[in-house]
Amino acid sequence: AFDILRVGGQDLRRLPLRVRREVLEGLLAGQRVPFPARRLARDGLEAWAEVERRGYEGLVGKTSLALVGGRTLSWLKVKQPD
């Protein structure tokens, strides 16, 4: 899991990603699955180097802004080539 949008009936989308991640990590603390996605370096090239080094499928880059509905550029999914 890399984000949480709602918990206990409360909509978290307007909160910054930093706060949503704190909520998510608190809920999943000590759980075997699901587990919070690993945080990578803020620098995109450094993060991608770690993706390749660890053999991850790809990465999801997100802004720290609140989420809005519909299509947006606030997050980007990048996958390894097949």
Side-chain angles (χ1 to χ4, degrees), residues 1 3-5 7-8 10 14 16 24 28-29 47 51 54-57 59 63 68 73 75-76:
D3 201 349
I4 189 165
L5 306 180
V7 66
Q10 183 180 2
R14 294 193 183 274
L24 175 66
L28 298 180
V51 166
R54 292 178 177 267
Y56 293 159
E57 176 183 337
L59 64 80
T63 67
V68 294
L73 297 176
W75 69 277
L76 176 67

Side-chain angles (χ1 to χ4, degrees), residues 19-30:
V19 174
R20 296 191 315 266
R21 279 293 299 215
E22 288 173 4
V23 171
L24 175 66
E25 290 171 2
L27 290 171
L28 298 180

Side-chain angles (χ1 to χ4, degrees), residues 38 40 45-56 80:
R38 179 176 170 80
L40 300 175
L45 294 176
E46 187 178 333
W48 189 252
E50 185 171 350
V51 166
E52 291 179 318
R53 186 171 53 253
R54 292 178 177 267
Y56 293 159
Q80 290 272 20

